[in-house]
Amino acid sequence: MAPRLAAHRILSDVARGRPFDWALDRAVGGLGEDDRRLAHEMAAGVLRHRVRLDTLLSPWIPRGLDSVQAALRDVLRLGVYQLDALDRVPVHAAVDTSVSLAREVTGAKAAGFANAVLRKVAVTLSREMAIAGSHPTPSSHPAWLADRWIARFGKDDAAALMAWNDTPPPLILQPARWSLEELEACWAQAGIDVHQAPFGAGLFTDQRRPEELPGYGEGAFMVQDPAQALVVRYWDVPEDATVFDACAAPGGKAIAVGLGARLVLAADRSPSRLRRLQSNLYRAGSGRELALMADAAFPPIRPLDAVILDAPCLGTGTLARHPEARWRVTSDALEGLALEGARLLAALADRVAPGGLLLYATCSLEPEENHEQIDKFLVANPQFHREPGGGVPGELLDAQGDLVILPHRHGMDGAYAARLRRTT
């Protein structure tokens, strides 16, 4: 029961607006490794496949799934996920543990209801298996987002993108105080299996807890997707530059830029995010990064060699890594975030010295936050022009020279970056 209770707590916290990673850490702290993995898999699986799970449940709830209280609804989803996706969990165990979970979180009456519904779902799935030979697992995304991607990428590419989002991503580590070669040698000696990420942008490992890997305490590495490492490569920040990173938390890009730049002023306006930023810089930074509290809309700096805006965005390139986020993204939020990005770009433009660089990035796949944003900025600010960077393969660049990484094509999180030079 322990991992199932933990999974239920994760879903409850996510429903209250907490980030998945925060909810996971809070729920599984006292569990053993196997139970931690199961709790993680079940909670993330429910979030990734919610449409499929709700479709299986709905025929057996006469007044509709929305008539079921939220806590019991999550119990049912966890039960169906075990029946549908976890072959190693027998049917009777999936049903019995779900009934016990319902009894614990919502009472005896709810337990009887859960028992009846889940047994009917189990029969449906056994018939489905007999006919098809396996359980279909269609992608689970909001309809508006799926339709948007189909219109943009085509049906097959959109399906591949959504399938990527429904697959748990591996842990990827980037060198910080140690080189890539030093990390590989150290972990090979410790018997830890690692291999290089696409384009040599980091190391994949099957380990799940980076704090237990050799070198963590020494700041040898940081957790960061290859896409973000490629963004920094693309920006190609000069080694003698003084850099203002306007929205720096949690600090991965600031640390990567700090490996070569003269000084990185890493800012965030949120006290909690600033504390996380400071912690990461202290553990893995080069010493050339300085954390400060500042609002990107009111940058407290003189014009500098380079200014980074890792813009607030819808985050549609990272839905595999953040399974809860797909149920929070909306078209209205996209519009609002695009406006916020434009506001921040305008505020930061004057903080770039003549001849300096304005470096922009998102973890979004949406044109309004990416190339359309930059196109509009350049029309309003003719003193800037695109100057694509180096260090990345041409296949990652669009026709204008901007960096575009797509998960289903490049095997990593999605990302976008632009590199703009100020001439006057």
Side-chain angles (χ1 to χ4, degrees):
M1 285 298 296
R4 291 163 174 84
L5 276 168
H8 192 270
R9 291 191 189 106
I10 294 167
L11 295 175
S12 297
D13 280 337
V14 166
R16 296 186 185 100
R18 298 290 191 178
F20 182 85
D21 289 346
W22 182 94
L24 176 68
D25 290 343
R26 177 174 180 264
V28 303
L31 300 183
E33 186 61 28
D34 288 346
D35 283 351
R36 290 170 65 98
R37 288 177 180 270
L38 180 56
H40 186 177
E41 180 177 3
M42 290 175 62
V46 165
L47 292 166
R48 290 189 177 103
H49 299 285
R50 199 172 81 183
V51 171
R52 160 78 173 165
L53 305 178
D54 289 359
T55 298
L56 289 166
L57 283 165
S58 293
W60 312 112
I61 302 173
R63 291 189 295 169
L65 194 57
D66 288 344
S67 68
V68 179
Q69 68 180 97
L72 180 56
R73 200 158 56 231
D74 282 339
V75 171
L76 295 173
R77 287 168 174 159
L78 286 165
V80 176
Y81 182 73
Q82 293 174 79
L83 291 168
D84 190 40
L86 299 186
D87 293 338
R88 65 184 181 274
V89 179
V91 170
H92 68 86
V95 173
D96 291 349
T97 55
S98 298
V99 169
S100 297
L101 182 60
R103 183 177 293 110
E104 180 153 347
V105 300
T106 55
K109 184 176 180 180
F113 175 76
N115 182 61
V117 170
L118 291 174
R119 289 189 182 281
K120 291 173 182 175
V121 172
V123 171
T124 299
L125 287 171
S126 67
R127 291 173 179 165
E128 191 177 85
M129 176 70 81
I131 296 170
S134 63
H135 295 156
T137 53
S139 182
S140 186
H141 288 71
W144 75 272
L145 188 58
D147 291 344
R148 177 186 179 87
W149 285 345
I150 290 169
R152 181 179 172 202
F153 298 116
K155 189 173 181 180
D156 291 344
D157 267 13
L161 171 57
M162 290 185 281
W164 170 272
N165 290 340
D166 290 341
T167 304
L171 186 69
I172 302 102
L173 308 169
Q174 303 293 342
R177 292 177 180 164
W178 294 1
S179 69
L180 197 70
E181 293 73 22
E182 288 172 323
L183 289 173
E184 286 185 296
C186 174
W187 292 335
Q189 187 175 7
I192 297 168
D193 182 40
V194 296
H195 59 278
Q196 289 206 8
F199 308 104
L203 296 170
F204 283 123
T205 177
D206 60 358
Q207 304 296 304
R208 302 306 302 174
R209 304 179 72 176
E211 66 276 9
E212 296 180 356
L213 290 172
Y216 179 84
E218 294 90 339
F221 63 88
M222 58 184 173
V223 177
Q224 187 186 56
D225 189 82
Q228 304 310 312
L230 289 166
V231 166
V232 174
R233 282 191 202 173
Y234 170 80
W235 282 340
D236 193 19
V237 178
E239 290 188 358
D240 61 347
T242 298
V243 183
F244 179 61
D245 189 349
C247 301
K253 291 188 180 71
I255 291 171
V257 171
L259 291 173
R262 177 191 301 163
L263 176 67
V264 180
L265 303 173
D268 205 277
R269 69 178 185 179
S270 161
S272 61
R273 287 174 61 83
L274 185 66
R275 286 192 293 272
R276 185 181 177 195
L277 171 63
Q278 289 173 316
S279 175
N280 289 335
L281 295 181
Y282 179 78
R283 186 188 69 80
S286 65
R288 291 185 289 273
E289 308 89 358
L290 175 65
L292 69 151
M293 182 175 288
D295 189 335
F298 305 97
I301 56 167
R302 62 176 174 81
L304 297 178
D305 304 314
V307 173
I308 293 172
L309 176 58
D310 193 356
C313 68
L314 206 61
T316 48
T318 62
L319 295 185
R321 203 163 296 282
H322 303 287
E324 81 287 7
R326 72 187 68 190
W327 304 113
R328 295 181 184 156
V329 298
T330 66
S331 55
D332 288 343
L334 172 59
E335 182 179 355
L337 286 163
L339 290 172
E340 175 69 0
R343 184 174 76 96
L344 296 180
L345 273 172
L348 292 167
D350 286 342
R351 301 298 90 197
V352 180
L357 292 167
L358 179 56
L359 307 169
Y360 180 82
T362 75
C363 55
S364 175
L365 307 179
E366 312 315 313
E368 296 92 328
E369 297 179 296
N370 295 340
H371 69 270
E372 289 180 9
Q373 181 81 277
I374 297 302
D375 290 345
K376 291 176 183 177
F377 173 81
L378 292 176
V379 169
N381 297 271
Q383 70 273 32
F384 285 89
H385 66 273
R386 282 182 166 96
E387 185 182 276
V392 299
E395 67 188 273
L396 299 179
L397 304 180
D398 68 9
Q400 296 171 302
D402 296 344
L403 181 73
V404 179
I405 299 175
L406 300 174
H408 57 294
R409 294 181 189 170
H410 303 124
M412 63 186 79
D413 286 354
Y416 169 86
R419 189 177 188 269
L420 310 178
R421 177 76 70 178
R422 179 169 185 170
T423 53
T424 59

